[in-house]
């Protein structure tokens, strides 16, 4: 009988597959769930605040000048926009001292009727003034002014001027 030599088998030492790919895939899902709302929040913060595409912020001097007016003394908390379309429409809102608003209207539109307390756009409006085309000196604009009293010393004013 012949004895055979045991055969030595050399094992290959290749690296086997690790599970890092599975681990990273599992970590990617919560990361995306957190990152997506943060990215949406950043995009929302850096976009224009206007809802409509044709609304642009403008200077209050330009908005009021379209209707032949200037910002009254003591006005603050101003927001002025222009709505582009077939005809431009300028809107301005601001707060002003209550006793100065009447003087401002009288100085701005000396030939206009006194502001009225009835038939205004909303029930919350205390006084309103509507001027048709040709009633604003040097302008062919329609002007509407709505005044809402905000306590004993302040008024909230909404000014709208558009082409007549």
């Amino acid at each position: 009988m012949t004895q055979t030599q045991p055969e030595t088998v050399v094992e290959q030492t290749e690296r086997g597959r690790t599970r890092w790919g599975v681990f990273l895939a599992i970590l990617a899902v919560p990361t995306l769930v957190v990152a997506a709302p943060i990215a949406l929040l950043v995009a929302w913060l850096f976009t224009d605040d206007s809802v409509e595409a044709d609304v642009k912020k403008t200077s209050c001097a330009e908005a009021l000048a379209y209707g032949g007016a200037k910002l009254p003394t003591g006005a603050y908390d101003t927001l002025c926009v222009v709505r582009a379309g077939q005809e431009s429409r300028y809107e301005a809102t601001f707060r002003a001292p209550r006793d100065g608003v009447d003087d401002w209207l009288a100085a701005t539109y000396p030939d206009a009727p006194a502001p009225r307390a009835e038939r205004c756009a909303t029930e919350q409006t205390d006084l309103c003034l509507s001027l048709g085309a040709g009633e604003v000196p040097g302008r062919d604009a329609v002007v509407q002014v709505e005044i809402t009293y905000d306590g004993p010393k302040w008024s909230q004013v909404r000014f709208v001027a558009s082409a007549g």
Side-chain angles (χ1 to χ4, degrees):
M1 229 165 149
T2 51
Q3 203 172 19
T4 58
Q5 289 284 346
E7 204 173 300
T8 309
V9 178
V10 178
E11 291 187 29
Q12 295 180 349
T13 57
E14 285 185 34
R15 295 186 94 181
R17 278 184 50 182
T18 62
R19 294 194 170 103
W20 281 106
V22 174
F23 180 72
L24 291 176
I26 291 171
L27 281 180
V29 172
T31 303
L32 290 176
V33 168
V34 171
I38 291 172
L40 290 173
L41 177 67
V42 169
W44 176 70
L45 289 174
F46 290 103
T47 57
D48 191 11
D49 291 340
S50 62
V51 176
E52 301 172 38
D54 61 345
V55 176
K56 304 273 189 279
K57 290 182 181 177
T58 187
S59 71
C60 287
E62 179 183 347
L64 291 164
Y66 192 81
K70 293 181 182 176
L71 204 59
T73 305
Y76 71 100
D77 201 13
T78 60
L79 174 63
C80 299
V81 296
V82 60
R83 295 177 185 273
Q86 286 182 323
E87 297 175 354
S88 296
R89 175 182 163 130
Y90 289 87
E91 297 180 17
T93 58
F94 54 88
R95 291 173 47 103
R98 185 173 174 169
D99 57 353
V101 172
D102 293 333
D103 297 337
W104 169 71
L105 276 177
T108 302
Y109 306 113
D111 297 330
R116 63 180 187 270
E118 63 279 338
R119 293 182 291 161
C120 294
T122 64
E123 289 183 19
Q124 292 80 20
T125 302
D126 294 303
L127 294 174
C128 57
L129 174 67
S130 296
L131 301 173
E135 293 183 287
V136 179
R139 302 281 179 197
D140 186 29
V142 174
V143 174
Q144 294 176 326
V145 181
E146 298 172 0
I147 301 166
T148 305
Y149 295 137
D150 189 13
K153 294 185 179 183
W154 297 101
S155 296
Q156 179 75 32
V157 179
R158 182 172 180 264
F159 178 93
V160 178
S162 58

